[in-house]
Amino acid sequence: MITTVRKTSEDFKKDGIDKSYDEVFGLICKNIAISIENRRFVYFIDAEYVMDTTKGDRYENLAPAYWKVLDAGLEQLKYSEEETANDFCRSYNAVLDNLIRLSERIVDSLKQSDYKMEKQIEWFTRIRETPAEGFEEAVQRLLFVNQMFWQTDHRLTGLGAWDSYLFPYYENDRKKGRLSREDAREILKDLYRVLHENYKYKSNVLMGDTGQIFVLGKSDSQGRYLCNDLTYLLIEAMKEVQQSEPKCLLRVNKNTPRDLIELALASITTGIGAPLLANDDVIIPELIKFGIDRKDVYEYTTSACWEPLIGGKSTSQNNMTALNYLKALDNLLKRERLEKIKTFKEFKFIYYIYLKRNLRAVKRVLHSKHFQYDPLLSVFTEDCFEKKQDVSWGGARYQHDGVTSVAMGDLVDVLMNIKEYVFEKKLYTLYDVKQMITLNFQGKDELCRELREKPSYYGTDEKAVIELVNEITTCVSEDIADYRSYQGGRMKTGLSGSSYLDSARNFGASFNGRRTGEPFTVHISNEDNNGFTEIINFASELNYDGGRLNGNVVDLMVSPDFIHNNWDKFVDFLILSIKKGFFEMQMNVVSSQTLIEARKNPEKFPNLIVRVWGFSAYFKDLPGEYQNVLIKRTLKNEKSM
C-alpha cells in the first residue's frame, strides 16, 4: 500500500518566511541591468540575473492583479509601520520598497540617456506615490509589473483583461481630449511590439509558448455582453501588427455583437490564429458550480492557454500534470486475464478500475507540490494583504489544482473498434488486440491500414460516442470529487492538453491504427467530419460539470479560401456555434500548400504564424514533428471539404 504524506498550508506557514527570497529580490532590483531605448515604453529583462530559489515549486501560469499599481502608488500598497512586526507584512513591504528603488534607478538611467525621455521620467517618478493618470502611463505600469514577474522566473505570465482594467484610463483620456483613437492604436501596437521582443527568452517548452495572453469581452449576471471601444481597438491593432505575441482570448456569449465576431474572424484569418474564443454561456455556469463566487465569476480570465481562472485572485496551477486516457487501457490489456472478459460492458468496467489507479498516481504528483514563498506574487494577488498571508500559505482566494489530458480521441476510437471487432463481429480476441499493439502491428499491416483509414468516431455527433465520452469523464469527475490540496483547493480536468506529442513519443501502438510513437489526437478535433457543424454538435453535448472545466478546446483546421468564399455563412456558423454551446474554440486558417512550401523553404516564410496547443507560434520555430502534425491535419481537412 502506498501512503501519501500530506501537509497543510499551516505546515508550510510554520516554516516561516523565506529570508533568502527577500535578499535575492532586493539584489535583483539593485543590480539588474537597465536597458533604455529610444521608444515609447521602458521594458527590459536581464536574462543574466533571473531569480533562482530552490525552496519549492515556482508559481506560473497566472495573471497578476496589475490594476493594483494602476489605482495606487507603490507606497500606498504598503502596510503601516505598526503592522511590520508581522514577518509577512515586513517581507511584503520589502518587495514594494525594492520596486521603488528599481523605479528610482530607472529614473536615473532615463535622465542619463541620450534620448529625450521627460514623459517616461515623470511616469517612473509618479509610480511611488500616485495612481496612474492616463492611458499611456497605465500601459507602462502594467509593463513594469509584467517584466518583474519574468525577471523573478514566473514563467507563462498572463496579462489579464485589458479592456476592463485599462479602459477607464482610455475613456478618461478620450473625454478630456488628450488621446485620439489613432493615438491609442499606436500605443497598443508599441505595447505588442515590446511584449513580443523577448519571446524567445519567455518561451517555455516550445518557441512561442509564453503564456502572454490578454482577455477581452465579458458577460454580466443578466447575460448581457459587455465590450467597449478598447475591445475593438485591441483586436484591430493586433491584426495590423501581425505577430505571434502577445496572444488574445475573446470571451463571447449569445449576445456578442456580430461586428465583433466578424472582426475576430478577420484577425484569425490573417493567419495569426487569434483570438481564441471562450463561451461564457457554458463556462460561467460551470465555474459557479465548481465553487467560484458569483461576484468573481464574471471576471474570469485564463492561465497560459485556455484554462479558466480568476485573474488577480487565484493561484490555481492549471497545468500541473497530464492524464493520458490510453495509459489505463494499455495497462489493462497487458495485466488482465483477457479471456475472462466476456462483454464490452465488463471490459469498460475494468477499464475504469485502471483509470482510477492512474488518477491515484496523478493525485500523488499534485500532493507532492510545495510552492515557494512568494511575496511579489502576494503583492499582486487580492486577499493576501487583508489576510496577511503569503500565496504559498493560502493567501489567494482560489488555489485549485488543474490537470490537462491527452488521448481521449484515441481512447474513444480504440474502444469503439474493440466493441466492433472483438465483441460484436468477433473477428479478434482481446488477446489478439494485445499482441497486435505489443508488436506494433507487425505482420498486420493490412488491418493497421484499415483501422487508420476508418473515419474517427471522436468528434462526431453519434449518440453512442457522446455517451461514451461523458461516461469516461464522469468516472474521472466522481473519483476526484473529494480531492483537496494542502491549500484546500479542488482538482479540475479538461479535454485539452499540450502533450499530444510528448506523451505519445514513447507510448506503444493503439487499436485505431496508430503505431508506436505517433501523435495522439489534438484537443477536440476530427478532420474526418464532412462539416464543422458536427464537431460543434459533439462538443455542445459533452458534460463539463464536476470539475471538467480545465480547458475544452474545439480545434479546427480551415482553409483560407473556404472562409473567404463563405464569409457570411462562416460568421453565421460561429454565432450559431456559440448558441449551440461549445466550451472554447480555436482555429488554424492556412492551406496545406503553404505549410508544405514553408517546411521546404522556411526562409521564404519567416513570419508564417500557426496555432499550436493554445498559443500562436512561427511555423519555422516549430520542431519538424509539430509541423508534420499540422500538415497532416490540413491535408485531411481539405480532402473532407
Side-chain angles (χ1 to χ4, degrees):
M1 180 177 177
I2 298 174
T3 303
T4 301
V5 179
R6 294 181 56 184
K7 285 191 173 186
T8 68
S9 59
E10 285 302 312
D11 291 323
F12 292 122
K13 191 172 179 180
K14 288 173 186 175
D15 294 339
I17 67 166
D18 179 2
K19 294 182 179 179
S20 67
Y21 181 100
D22 294 348
E23 181 181 355
V24 172
F25 187 76
L27 289 171
I28 282 177
C29 291
K30 180 180 179 181
N31 295 312
I32 55 173
I34 297 173
S35 174
I36 303 297
E37 299 183 30
N38 188 19
R39 60 185 183 186
R40 188 189 305 268
F41 296 118
V42 176
Y43 189 86
F44 54 88
I45 298 171
D46 183 353
E48 302 301 317
Y49 214 125
V50 176
M51 174 175 276
D52 181 19
T53 59
T54 57
K55 295 185 178 180
D57 298 288
R58 168 67 66 199
Y59 281 108
E60 54 186 26
N61 287 47
L62 294 171
Y66 294 98
W67 55 85
K68 292 184 72 174
V69 79
L70 306 188
D71 299 341
L74 295 170
E75 286 283 1
Q76 295 169 296
L77 300 178
K78 292 166 65 175
Y79 287 103
S80 65
E81 189 65 32
E82 309 87 74
E83 294 173 292
T84 55
N86 176 293
D87 283 342
F88 170 72
C89 297
R90 187 165 59 252
S91 186
Y92 185 102
N93 278 11
V95 166
L96 292 163
D97 286 334
N98 281 306
L99 289 175
I100 290 168
R101 291 189 189 101
L102 177 59
S103 70
E104 292 169 345
R105 287 186 61 211
I106 293 172
V107 170
D108 290 340
S109 297
L110 287 166
K111 289 178 178 178
Q112 294 169 21
S113 75
D114 296 329
Y115 311 120
K116 189 176 181 181
M117 310 291 276
E118 283 84 358
K119 185 166 54 175
Q120 290 82 353
I121 291 171
E122 181 182 357
W123 293 340
F124 280 96
T125 301
R126 287 169 41 80
I127 197 172
R128 175 170 185 162
E129 299 281 358
T130 59
E133 189 173 280
F135 179 66
E136 200 172 10
E137 183 180 0
V139 170
Q140 176 63 80
R141 290 197 183 193
L142 91 85
L143 286 172
F144 177 64
V145 173
N146 177 267
Q147 75 178 47
M148 289 311 298
F149 274 92
W150 287 106
Q151 192 71 58
T152 51
D153 201 30
H154 289 84
R155 309 300 297 173
L156 304 164
T157 300
L159 299 162
W162 278 357
D163 63 345
S164 289
Y165 69 79
L166 287 176
F167 180 69
Y169 302 93
Y170 170 79
E171 183 181 39
N172 188 50
D173 279 2
R174 292 295 307 278
K175 285 180 178 178
K176 293 185 175 180
R178 298 190 302 214
L179 183 74
S180 70
R181 198 171 190 275
E182 282 307 307
D183 290 337
R185 185 193 303 272
E186 292 306 310
I187 290 170
L188 294 176
K189 288 161 76 171
D190 284 344
L191 168 61
Y192 295 153
R193 293 183 185 110
V194 162
L195 288 170
H196 178 270
E197 65 187 14
N198 292 291
Y199 84 93
K200 292 184 178 180
Y201 164 77
K202 293 176 178 178
S203 294
N204 203 41
V205 178
L206 286 182
M207 197 67 72
D209 174 26
T210 67
Q212 293 191 128
I213 187 165
F214 62 92
V215 178
L216 303 177
K218 62 181 178 181
S219 306
D220 67 9
S221 58
Q222 282 73 50
R224 291 172 296 201
Y225 189 74
L226 306 180
C227 60
N228 52 56
D229 188 43
L230 190 55
T231 312
Y232 288 80
L233 195 55
L234 281 156
I235 298 177
E236 291 169 16
M238 177 178 64
K239 178 172 172 283
E240 290 177 24
V241 171
Q242 285 290 292
Q243 297 174 161
S244 64
E245 294 289 315
K247 336 292 184 185
C248 176
L249 179 143
L250 177 66
R251 290 173 51 180
V252 295
N253 70 16
K254 62 185 177 183
N255 296 314
T256 303
R258 184 182 181 92
D259 65 342
L260 184 56
I261 299 291
E262 289 183 317
L263 177 60
L265 182 59
S267 176
I268 293 168
T269 53
T270 62
I272 63 174
L276 179 148
L277 305 179
N279 192 348
D280 282 5
D281 292 336
V282 178
I283 295 173
I284 286 176
E286 297 303 339
L287 287 171
I288 292 172
K289 290 181 200 174
F290 190 67
I292 305 300
D293 196 293
R294 286 180 181 271
K295 67 177 178 291
D296 296 326
V297 73
Y298 299 100
E299 305 299 326
Y300 83 85
T301 57
T302 65
S303 43
C305 291
W306 51 67
E307 306 90 343
L309 88 168
I310 310 304
K313 298 179 182 179
S314 171
T315 53
S316 298
Q317 296 295 279
N318 290 329
N319 289 284
M320 296 183 74
T321 190
L323 173 65
N324 179 346
Y325 277 102
L326 265 184
K327 187 174 183 180
L329 184 62
D330 193 60
N331 289 338
L332 183 162
L333 291 171
K334 291 176 179 177
R335 299 175 185 175
E336 283 294 309
R337 296 185 63 180
L338 301 175
E339 70 278 4
K340 291 192 171 185
I341 304 173
K342 302 302 182 183
T343 67
F344 183 62
K345 183 177 180 181
E346 183 183 354
F347 184 74
K348 285 194 301 178
F349 178 81
I350 297 172
Y351 168 77
Y352 295 141
I353 293 173
Y354 278 87
L355 180 59
K356 291 175 182 178
R357 290 177 184 173
N358 283 3
L359 285 167
R360 286 204 295 271
V362 168
K363 292 172 187 176
R364 287 196 295 272
V365 171
L366 269 55
H367 282 311
S368 70
K369 299 291 183 180
H370 171 192
F371 291 100
Q372 291 185 24
Y373 182 73
D374 200 332
L376 174 66
L377 181 57
S378 299
V379 168
F380 292 101
T381 300
E382 299 283 358
D383 290 7
C384 291
F385 182 90
E386 291 76 12
K387 292 181 180 179
K388 296 183 180 178
Q389 286 187 335
D390 186 73
V391 286
S392 64
W393 302 345
R397 193 169 302 179
Y398 306 105
Q399 312 101 9
H400 302 300
D401 291 346
V403 173
T404 60
S405 70
V406 291
M408 174 61 86
D410 300 275
L411 171 68
V412 169
D413 287 346
V414 169
L415 289 177
M416 295 299 286
N417 286 339
I418 287 175
K419 180 183 179 185
E420 176 187 352
Y421 286 78
V422 176
F423 293 103
E424 293 176 348
K425 295 182 178 179
K426 301 187 184 301
L427 298 174
Y428 303 99
T429 66
L430 287 174
Y431 182 79
D432 293 332
V433 172
K434 172 185 175 179
Q435 287 295 98
M436 282 185 272
I437 65 171
T438 301
L439 298 175
N440 197 23
F441 290 101
Q442 183 179 344
K444 295 289 183 179
D445 292 340
E446 187 175 338
L447 175 61
C448 183
R449 190 179 310 109
E450 178 184 327
L451 293 171
R452 292 171 81 93
E453 292 176 355
K454 284 186 66 176
S456 175
Y457 291 96
Y458 188 67
T460 66
D461 53 11
E462 186 178 332
K463 184 179 179 182
V465 173
I466 294 169
E467 289 178 349
L468 178 59
V469 176
N470 284 335
E471 186 179 316
I472 296 166
T473 61
T474 296
C475 173
V476 173
S477 176
E478 291 175 350
D479 187 78
I480 66 175
D482 62 351
Y483 171 88
R484 294 296 181 271
S485 70
Y486 79 84
Q487 295 179 330
R490 296 178 59 192
M491 182 175 165
K492 50 185 177 175
T493 63
L495 288 176
S496 296
S498 60
S499 59
Y500 52 82
L501 267 167
D502 288 344
S503 294
R505 192 170 287 116
N506 297 311
F507 198 85
S510 50
F511 197 61
N512 57 346
R514 185 192 141 273
R515 291 190 185 269
T516 298
E518 291 184 343
F520 294 137
T521 303
V522 178
H523 304 325
I524 302 173
S525 62
N526 185 349
E527 280 70 51
D528 291 322
N529 285 342
N530 292 320
F532 296 122
T533 302
E534 186 171 18
I535 198 164
I536 297 301
N537 291 340
F538 169 81
S540 66
E541 292 296 323
L542 298 180
N543 291 336
Y544 299 116
D545 59 1
R548 288 173 275 189
L549 74 167
N550 197 43
N552 300 283
V553 182
V554 174
D555 192 295
L556 302 179
M557 304 296 295
V558 193
S559 73
D561 288 344
F562 181 83
I563 292 182
H564 293 311
N565 294 335
N566 301 275
W567 180 264
D568 289 335
K569 290 182 180 179
F570 203 85
V571 174
D572 290 340
F573 160 73
L574 291 178
I575 293 171
L576 290 172
S577 297
I578 294 167
K579 294 178 180 178
K580 186 71 177 175
F582 69 81
F583 194 95
E584 293 159 326
M585 179 194 292
Q586 67 179 13
M587 62 187 87
N588 265 297
V589 182
V590 64
S591 70
S592 60
Q593 182 180 356
T594 298
L595 293 180
I596 292 169
E597 184 64 25
R599 183 176 58 182
K600 291 179 180 176
N601 301 292
E603 71 282 353
K604 294 182 180 180
F605 298 86
N607 299 313
L608 176 62
I609 298 171
V610 291
R611 195 78 181 173
V612 187
W613 301 350
F615 63 89
S616 297
Y618 293 108
F619 187 73
K620 63 180 174 57
D621 289 339
L622 294 176
E625 55 188 352
Y626 282 92
Q627 294 180 348
N628 292 338
V629 167
L630 289 167
I631 291 171
K632 180 180 177 181
R633 292 186 63 204
T634 306
L635 284 167
K636 202 171 185 182
N637 171 70
E638 290 171 352
K639 288 177 182 177
S640 67
M641 295 179 69

